[in-house]
Amino acid sequence: MGSFATVCVIILIIVLWGYIDFHIGKYIHRKRWKTREYPIRDGKLELITNGSDLYQAYFSDLQAATSTIHILFYIVKNDRFSQAFFEALKKQAIKGVKVRLLLDWFGGRSVPKQWIKEARAVGIHIAYCHKPRLPFLMFSLQQRNHRKITIIDGQVGYLGGYNIGKEYIDLDPELSPWRDYHVRLIGEAVADLEQEFLMDWERATGDAFQIIQPSPSRFDMEHRLYPSEGVDVENMLIQLIEKAKTSLVIGTPYFIPPRRLFSAIEAAMDRGVNVTVLVPNKSDHPLVKEASFRYLRRILAKDGIVYQFENGFFHAKVIVIDGKICDIGTANFDYRSILLNHEINCFIYERAFIAEVEAALAEDIRHSTRLKLENLYSLPLGARWKEGISYIIKGLL
């Protein structure tokens, strides 16, 4: 056997091993996973759509902490803003606040080891989750903890699309301004959010801690948390879409829905539901924009509406159904978030809050251009090549 043939055989064996490893690992994960459901809670929700506004409130809450700070971010970068984040945590740890920081192994890979060492030296507990591991190395390498959550003193919670890095506060010239949706919450659901953090923390470290129960809430904005780990979230979203009677609005940076979920959208359109999709025109990934074209053509062909956000980068994850149900969280509208990653979303039933979300979407649409079907049938050769390649690997984008 020649050297070229040997190399081809080795590549074939690696690809076959990766395929088997990934799918068996995913199958076993699905069989072991148990649904976790939280009830509808009362509380106060605040929508934040600007990074500067978010982190002004966020750092203020961190500075006010007296007992515990629990944080899980998918991404923390190696830049001045990320360093300021670590400095804020160190100051609180020195004051005696118990700080636990959980980072995704892949998303937090650029955090300098020196920062970790200095943080641990002042008492901050830091762990990495979702490290690649045997026996299913390929599956564990692809499964990420994509959650972005914070719980302060068991009383205040945060979740949504923002991570820690300079682009999130509009300091990256390529992606600025950054448009995202994040929720600050007070009330009963903070304990549910902390319960999810506890489970992720315990799986990463083997250690547990006592959850602080929130103070009784004076607010009555109904909502509930829905955690997912690549299992059942597609069914949940399908059930929501099947309830739509008049309108369905989807805002997402990556519109690459799994087959059954997209079929539910098409079925909604067939029964007269008006579907609007808002995606960014600018991309932060070389293939995800082109991966959406196959689906957007079908939306447009059924008289749906597609907007491309032009004022920076749109990263929000939001769904609004009939103006009555709103979903904001960490999950993108793509294969990876829905069928693979660990995510957490918040389903909101408070009409006043939903009206605020609709106003934010209307503002984003004002900064968008409407995509036409003919635009997607006259793509340059490079875009057509990207679309073909992205379709093949859509499950891993």
Side-chain angles (χ1 to χ4, degrees), residues 77-94:
K77 294 290 189 69
N78 177 7
D79 56 30
R80 292 181 64 182
F81 180 63
S82 302
Q83 188 174 22
F85 167 73
F86 266 83
E87 291 300 320
L89 297 185
K90 285 161 60 177
K91 287 180 180 179
Q92 292 305 92
I94 292 170

Side-chain angles (χ1 to χ4, degrees), residues 285-306:
H285 188 285
L287 292 175
V288 291
K289 179 180 177 179
E290 289 77 14
S292 70
F293 290 164
R294 183 178 300 262
Y295 305 97
L296 296 180
R297 283 193 195 95
R298 290 164 66 175
I299 294 289
L300 292 168
K302 287 181 174 288
D303 296 325
I305 299 173
V306 177

Side-chain angles (χ1 to χ4, degrees), residues 172-188:
D172 184 339
E174 294 296 321
L175 296 174
S176 294
W178 187 280
R179 183 67 164 178
D180 220 325
Y181 292 9
H182 219 80
V183 175
R184 180 181 186 270
L185 61 97
I186 297 173
E188 301 167 341

